[in-house]
Amino acid sequence: MRATAEANPNIALIKYWGKADAALNLPVTGSLSLTLDTAPTRTTVELDSAIADDELVLSGVAQTGRSLERVRRFLDLVRDESGSTVKSRVDSVNLIPTGAGLASSASAFAALAAAASAAYGLDLDDRALSRLARRGSGSASRSIFGGVVRWFPGDDASSFAEPVDSTGLDLAMVVAVIDAGEKSISSTEAMNRTTATSPFYPAWAESTTRQLDEMLRAIARADFTAVGELTESNSLRMHATMAGAWPPVRYQRAASIALIDAAAELRAAGVEAYATMDAGPNVKFLCRPVDADRVEAHLAATDPSARFLSARAGEGVRLVDEAATA
Ligand code: PMV
């Protein structure tokens, strides 16, 4: 009747950008990400037969409107499967700023999927949990697993994520936070506008499918340089595709571009760092753990007003024993 789960954010190295089915959150292409070891979302779901409607508290603030509605619809999926009609109180703490392109919806819906399915008594394996999390936010399907994770396109049954063996690759990610505020346009709206109006979209989908294959081969041979180059290229192609939409979608700011240039400067100086961006102005840098401090120092010199998070590969979603952590 009550369960708590924690999930970490993931950052895509090969991006998900575009839905084949909006209701089921089925992606046009496959994608691949790194789950981070920082900034988890911790969510408790508690059934309460005395309340007439679901309640949502985010970081101590009771929610109404869109975010409550999204959680309500998600809980309906869990209730449909469990046969219960009881409403719930959802309490979620996000340890990173939400809505800043830091994949907070990924950790949020992965944690909610695990906590809600446990609270309603569903016994889901990781694959079923990944499919459920996908319904909340596409990228959440990947935060069920730790390390390097791929998410398959397909139908409702076959579109889930699974871990990828990345033995021999030691990955770090330095996140440069330029702006922690809400993003100007949601990823769903931006994706739909891009698929509907950008003439570059078919090329994006075809090229991403190819880059995902190349990425899987690069990971299998533990080729850090190829992994990095594919990461930066795929991100630039995604943002170029958005620039072709109308009205155009642009998450890159002048400060973002300066940081992307800083990655090229680092590489010219012999330090491998590769930039990637999501649905916000912040920039993430894939590098080797031994280089993370040097990468962060150069980025901080480039943008003294940016804040930094330094992460390694992290674990997948887990249920939290509240008695043990109280
Ligand atoms: O999970 P959503 O619907 O917020 O989409 C996330 C999209 C990107 O973060 C830009 C790319 C990705 O694959 O995570």
Side-chain angles (χ1 to χ4, degrees):
M1 299 298 270
R2 177 188 163 102
T4 296
E6 270 184 23
N8 297 0
N10 72 75
I11 300 298
L13 310 183
I14 298 292
K15 307 292 188 189
Y16 150 54
W17 197 253
K19 298 174 200 274
D21 183 310
L24 293 171
N25 263 351
L26 298 173
V28 171
T29 69
S31 57
L32 181 139
S33 58
L34 178 68
T35 300
L36 306 184
D37 66 350
T38 181
T41 298
R42 188 186 178 121
T43 299
T44 299
V45 174
E46 183 168 23
L47 278 68
D48 185 346
S49 49
I51 55 176
D53 218 334
D54 294 315
E55 294 171 10
L56 172 65
V57 175
L58 283 185
S59 301
V61 182
Q63 303 291 306
T64 54
R66 276 232 314 263
S67 56
L68 174 61
E69 191 45 42
R70 198 165 164 193
V71 165
R72 215 178 253 155
R73 269 189 285 130
F74 187 83
L75 291 173
D76 283 341
L77 297 172
V78 178
R79 278 188 284 259
D80 281 352
E81 226 169 301
S82 71
S84 170
T85 54
V86 178
K87 306 294 183 190
S88 278
R89 219 184 318 277
V90 177
D91 198 322
S92 187
V93 200
N94 220 316
L95 301 180
I96 50 173
T98 53
L102 286 177
S104 54
S105 71
S107 54
F109 279 99
L112 181 61
S117 57
Y120 280 91
L122 296 177
D123 187 20
L124 303 184
D125 61 15
D126 283 351
R127 191 169 278 189
L129 207 51
S130 174
R131 290 175 50 233
L132 175 63
R134 185 199 81 218
R135 300 290 295 273
S137 184
S139 56
S141 65
R142 299 184 309 235
S143 273
I144 299 304
F145 302 99
V148 175
V149 180
R150 75 185 290 195
W151 170 26
F152 296 98
D155 59 17
D156 185 32
S158 60
S159 182
F160 48 77
E162 73 179 25
V164 172
D165 181 5
S166 61
T167 309
L169 270 180
D170 211 1
L171 303 175
M173 199 158 263
V174 175
V175 180
V177 182
I178 292 173
D179 183 348
E182 278 295 314
K183 56 193 162 204
S184 48
I185 163 168
S186 76
S187 54
T188 295
E189 193 185 332
M191 261 181 221
N192 293 344
R193 193 188 295 171
T194 307
T195 51
T197 69
S198 176
F200 309 137
Y201 192 76
W204 153 259
E206 187 263 328
S207 136
T208 294
T209 301
R210 213 161 2 93
Q211 287 191 315
L212 175 57
D213 284 344
E214 285 173 40
M215 179 64 94
L216 289 165
R217 284 198 294 273
I219 290 169
R221 60 176 195 273
D223 183 342
F224 179 84
T225 301
V227 168
E229 288 178 354
L230 284 162
T231 296
E232 185 161 310
S233 167
N234 185 257
S235 169
L236 290 170
R237 287 179 186 183
M238 178 178 79
H239 290 278
T241 307
M242 289 184 220
W246 196 266
V249 180
R250 186 168 53 82
Y251 290 111
Q252 293 161 323
R253 298 202 194 144
S256 320
I257 301 291
L259 287 169
I260 293 173
D261 285 349
E265 289 158 16
L266 280 161
R267 295 198 294 270
V271 178
E272 284 190 79
Y274 299 91
T276 184
M277 287 180 68
D278 296 290
N282 303 319
V283 193
K284 298 96 178 181
F285 298 85
L286 188 70
C287 63
R288 293 187 175 91
V290 287
D291 292 329
D293 287 346
R294 203 164 151 203
V295 168
E296 183 174 328
H298 184 66
L299 299 173
T302 303
D303 186 347
S305 65
R307 287 193 304 109
F308 294 93
L309 275 174
S310 191
R312 305 284 181 273
E315 55 179 334
V317 74
R318 56 269 170 204
L319 286 169
V320 176
D321 181 350
E322 291 170 88
T325 56

Coordinates of all heavy atoms in Angstrom, one line a residue, residues 12 15-17 105 137-139 142 187 191 238 278-279, ligand 1:
A12 N 21.2 11.0 -22.9 CA 21.3 10.2 -24.2 C 22.6 10.6 -24.9 O 22.9 11.8 -25.1 CB 20.1 10.5 -25.0
K15 N 20.3 10.3 -29.4 CA 19.0 10.9 -28.9 C 17.7 10.3 -29.4 O 17.6 9.8 -30.5 CB 19.0 12.4 -29.2 CG 20.2 13.2 -28.8 CD 20.4 13.3 -27.4 CE 21.5 14.3 -27.0 NZ 21.8 14.3 -25.6
Y16 N 16.7 10.4 -28.5 CA 15.3 10.1 -28.8 C 14.7 11.5 -29.2 O 14.7 12.4 -28.4 CB 14.7 9.5 -27.6 CG 13.2 9.8 -27.4 CD1 12.3 9.5 -28.4 CD2 12.7 10.3 -26.2 CE1 10.9 9.7 -28.2 CE2 11.4 10.5 -25.9 CZ 10.5 10.2 -26.9 OH 9.1 10.4 -26.7
W17 N 14.3 11.6 -30.4 CA 13.7 12.9 -30.8 C 12.6 12.6 -31.8 O 12.9 12.6 -33.0 CB 14.7 13.9 -31.3 CG 14.1 15.3 -31.3 CD1 13.7 16.0 -32.4 CD2 13.8 16.1 -30.1 NE1 13.2 17.2 -31.9 CE2 13.3 17.3 -30.6 CE3 14.0 15.9 -28.8 CZ2 12.9 18.3 -29.7 CZ3 13.6 16.9 -27.9 CH2 13.1 18.1 -28.4
S105 N 12.7 14.4 -16.0 CA 11.5 13.6 -16.2 C 11.8 12.1 -16.3 O 11.0 11.3 -16.0 CB 10.7 14.1 -17.5 OG 11.4 13.7 -18.6
S137 N 7.3 9.2 -19.6 CA 8.2 10.0 -20.3 C 9.1 9.0 -21.1 O 9.7 8.1 -20.5 CB 9.0 10.8 -19.3 OG 9.9 11.7 -20.0
G138 N 9.3 9.2 -22.4 CA 10.0 8.2 -23.2 C 11.4 7.9 -22.6 O 11.7 6.7 -22.4
S139 N 12.1 8.9 -22.2 CA 13.5 8.7 -21.7 C 13.5 8.0 -20.4 O 14.5 7.4 -20.0 CB 14.2 10.1 -21.6 OG 13.5 11.0 -20.8
R142 N 14.7 4.3 -20.0 CA 16.2 4.0 -19.9 C 16.7 4.1 -18.5 O 17.7 3.5 -18.1 CB 17.0 4.9 -20.8 CG 16.6 4.8 -22.3 CD 17.5 5.6 -23.2 NE 17.6 7.0 -22.7 CZ 17.3 8.1 -23.5 NH1 16.9 8.0 -24.7 NH2 17.3 9.3 -22.9
S187 N 9.7 19.1 -24.2 CA 10.3 18.2 -25.2 C 9.2 17.6 -26.1 O 9.4 17.5 -27.3 CB 11.1 17.1 -24.5 OG 10.4 16.5 -23.5
M191 N 9.3 18.2 -30.0 CA 9.4 17.0 -30.8 C 8.4 16.9 -31.9 O 8.6 16.7 -33.1 CB 9.2 15.7 -30.0 CG 10.4 15.0 -29.5 SD 9.9 13.6 -28.5 CE 11.1 13.7 -27.3
M238 N 20.6 16.6 -34.0 CA 19.3 16.8 -33.5 C 18.9 18.3 -33.4 O 17.8 18.7 -33.8 CB 19.2 16.2 -32.1 CG 17.8 16.4 -31.4 SD 17.7 15.6 -29.8 CE 18.5 16.8 -28.7
D278 N 20.4 18.5 -24.6 CA 19.0 18.0 -24.7 C 18.0 19.2 -24.9 O 18.3 20.2 -25.5 CB 18.8 17.1 -23.5 CG 19.7 15.9 -23.6 OD1 19.5 15.1 -24.5 OD2 20.7 15.8 -22.8
A279 N 16.8 19.0 -24.2 CA 15.8 20.0 -24.4 C 15.9 21.2 -23.5 O 15.0 21.5 -22.7 CB 14.4 19.4 -24.3
Ligands
PMV1 O1 11.6 11.8 -22.2 P1 11.3 13.1 -22.9 O2 9.9 13.0 -23.6 O3 11.4 14.3 -22.0 O4 12.3 13.3 -24.1 C1 13.7 13.5 -23.9 C2 14.4 13.9 -25.2 C3 15.9 14.2 -25.0 O5 16.3 14.4 -23.7 C4 16.2 15.5 -25.7 C5 16.7 13.1 -25.7 C6 16.8 11.8 -25.0 O6 16.9 10.8 -25.7 O7 16.8 11.8 -23.7

